[in-house]
Amino acid sequence: MSGTLYGIGVGPGDPELLTLKAARLLGRIAVVAYPAPLQGDSLARSIAAPHLTAVTDEIALRMPFDPEKRADDVYDSGAEAIAVHLAAGRDVAVLCEGDPFFFGSFVYLFARLSERFPVEVVPGVSSVMACAAVLGHPLTARDDALTIIPAPRPEDEIERLLEGSEAAAIMKLGRHLPKVVRVLERLGLTDKAVYIERAGQPGQRMRSLAEAAAEGAPYFAMILVHKRGKAWI
Amino acid sequence: MSGTLYGIGVGPGDPELLTLKAARLLGRIAVVAYPAPLQGDSLARSIAAPHLTAVTDEIALRMPFDPEKRADDVYDSGAEAIAVHLAAGRDVAVLCEGDPFFFGSFVYLFARLSERFPVEVVPGVSSVMACAAVLGHPLTARDDALTIIPAPRPEDEIERLLEGSEAAAIMKLGRHLPKVVRVLERLGLTDKAVYIERAGQPGQRMRSLAEAAAEGAPYFAMILVHKRGKAWI
């Protein structure tokens, strides 16, 4: 009997935004894997740390911090290290910031392992919902369409995606913020947009969009847009 | 000093998908409000029930089950009942299925109360992530755009929204399923679409899209689409 691969969403950063199910499973799991920088601590592991009371083996997927570069070799060797435990009948929990199936490194491990081993995914609170909560900015009501847009997309595609729906969350801003601000200005949406960085993480910071555009944004920054502005309903 | 209005996401249905923060706050709150059918139990309240150990007052927002009809009078009187407690200095927790700011009744109460009282929102696991987890269907990887589409939208708008992004979640299916299936067929996406109803709730059920289309779908049913099919990464 092989072990089960668990993809466990640990939420957006606040350790209290972990689910009861994640906490229960993490308390009995012996092998954990998680994304981490080349040097230093893993955010996902730090969120889960209070619950990791049964851990005997840890697999850190260490990758250069350039989230726009693919890291296939890291996922290949990480998947093989995980497969050794699964084949030996040991469950493995992959710790995922936010939700495992929403822009998570887990998707890359899932693609490599899900045909060979049983998989269970524990959904988590996503950064989109966490940003909305901190900003006091409802995402959707009525029959709004909401589009999640990664900021590395080309400028014309961001414009087309923003035009198409009532509400949007623009993620992974970093060096792409000036391009996104240009699009918002062209569409007359700057006063319907709010900005936040590292929501619920250490270093959470709210600034005006203008200030962020002038000073620069980290990768974990997000813009939420709603075309009805503050007329939520 | 007035009380604080808490919008508390209780997750998609599985009582274990509540966050630690929601569980902690619910354990000390004396006044709770929640949406409920005209007769019978509230789903949000039933999810939260194990944690409601300090409750003295309950406000049920009872509305006819037609989710496409607005229920302004129910929200008006509910907001006033909540305001009485807040003005007297008592905190009130509004229990919200999924996430409070994502198609929740909470948005309607927020619109009525947020300028008069302090508000804190506790984000929750949304049904979109819960459906993906149960189906084993990653939502996004790389720089995918994901569009959330309410099925009551007109057919041509659903088609345009689906065309525009790599991935989509189509919610609130009910009697709109045949229309959505027509659009998926026109766009050649039926074999890239998966269907589920009541994910994580009592009555969770997976069927093929063809079977659901032939037999009919409930309101709490969802279709997830990814244009890369099973080539997740």
Side-chain angles (χ1 to χ4, degrees), chain A residues 12 14-24 51 68 70 72 99 101-104 107-108 110-112 114-115 120-126 129-130 132-153 157 160-161 163-166 172 230 232-233, chain B residues 12 14-24 51 68 70 72 99 101-104 107-108 110-112 114-115 120-126 129-130 132-153 157 160-161 163-166 172 230 232-233:
Chain A
D14 178 344
E16 271 205 293
L17 292 180
L18 199 93
T19 64
L20 303 174
K21 184 169 188 176
R24 174 177 62 80
H51 309 284
E68 294 174 37
R70 295 185 63 153
D72 286 333
D99 177 84
F101 274 164
F102 184 69
F103 296 113
V107 179
Y108 296 88
F110 178 83
R112 286 163 170 80
S114 65
E115 295 192 351
E120 186 177 335
V121 172
V122 179
V125 174
S126 115
M129 279 69 182
V134 174
L135 288 164
H137 178 101
L139 292 164
T140 49
R142 307 186 201 172
D143 286 328
D144 293 334
L146 169 70
T147 302
I148 315 292
I149 307 172
R153 297 286 289 250
E157 292 182 21
R160 177 181 55 76
L161 289 161
E163 280 182 311
S165 60
E166 288 73 35
K172 313 187 191 182
K230 288 193 169 292
W232 306 116
I233 58 173
Chain B
D14 177 344
E16 271 206 292
L17 291 180
L18 198 94
T19 64
L20 302 173
K21 184 168 187 178
R24 175 177 61 81
H51 310 283
E68 294 173 38
R70 296 185 61 153
D72 287 334
D99 178 84
F101 275 165
F102 184 69
F103 296 114
V107 178
Y108 295 88
F110 178 83
R112 286 163 170 80
S114 64
E115 296 191 350
E120 186 177 335
V121 172
V122 179
V125 175
S126 114
M129 280 70 183
V134 174
L135 288 164
H137 178 100
L139 292 164
T140 50
R142 306 188 202 169
D143 286 328
D144 294 332
L146 169 70
T147 302
I148 316 292
I149 307 172
R153 298 284 290 250
E157 293 182 23
R160 177 180 56 75
L161 289 161
E163 281 183 310
S165 59
E166 288 72 35
K172 312 186 191 184
K230 289 195 168 290
W232 305 116
I233 57 171

Side-chain angles (χ1 to χ4, degrees), chain B:
Chain B
M1 281 286 287
S2 63
T4 294
L5 175 66
Y6 289 93
I8 299 194
V10 298
D14 177 344
E16 271 206 292
L17 291 180
L18 198 94
T19 64
L20 302 173
K21 184 168 187 178
R24 175 177 61 81
L25 287 170
L26 292 177
R28 69 156 187 76
I29 290 264
V31 187
V32 292
Y34 42 80
L38 279 183
Q39 306 211 317
D41 294 339
S42 155
L43 176 61
R45 193 197 182 290
S46 72
I47 298 169
H51 310 283
L52 301 178
T53 52
V55 168
T56 57
D57 288 86
E58 304 201 18
I59 299 165
L61 304 170
R62 294 202 176 268
M63 49 193 101
F65 190 72
D66 183 346
E68 294 173 38
K69 288 245 164 56
R70 296 185 61 153
D72 287 334
D73 52 338
V74 180
Y75 291 120
D76 284 344
S77 59
E80 281 320 301
I82 291 169
V84 169
H85 289 286
L86 294 172
R90 290 186 288 274
D91 296 340
V92 178
V94 179
L95 311 177
C96 311
E97 293 159 36
D99 178 84
F101 275 165
F102 184 69
F103 296 114
S105 357
F106 182 70
V107 178
Y108 295 88
L109 299 170
F110 178 83
R112 286 163 170 80
L113 295 166
S114 64
E115 296 191 350
R116 296 155 62 193
F117 301 103
V119 179
E120 186 177 335
V121 172
V122 179
V125 175
S126 114
S127 56
V128 176
M129 280 70 183
C131 287
V134 174
L135 288 164
H137 178 100
L139 292 164
T140 50
R142 306 188 202 169
D143 286 328
D144 294 332
L146 169 70
T147 302
I148 316 292
I149 307 172
R153 298 284 290 250
E155 189 163 338
D156 59 333
E157 293 182 23
I158 294 175
E159 182 160 343
R160 177 180 56 75
L161 289 161
L162 265 173
E163 281 183 310
S165 59
E166 288 72 35
I170 311 171
M171 301 176 63
K172 312 186 191 184
L173 284 171
R175 65 184 176 83
H176 301 285
L177 180 60
K179 173 180 71 182
V180 171
V181 170
R182 281 199 301 274
V183 175
L184 290 169
E185 283 170 354
R186 269 205 302 277
L187 297 177
L189 290 174
T190 42
D191 63 337
K192 311 283 173 74
V194 286
Y195 170 93
I196 190 170
E197 49 197 65
R198 298 191 182 89
Q201 298 176 16
Q204 172 182 307
R205 189 175 175 203
M206 283 184 272
R207 289 185 286 172
S208 73
L209 188 55
E211 203 180 338
E215 296 171 2
Y219 177 76
F220 282 115
M222 195 178 301
I223 289 172
L224 300 179
V225 183
H226 202 298
K227 292 184 179 173
R228 287 198 299 277
K230 289 195 168 290
W232 305 116
I233 57 171

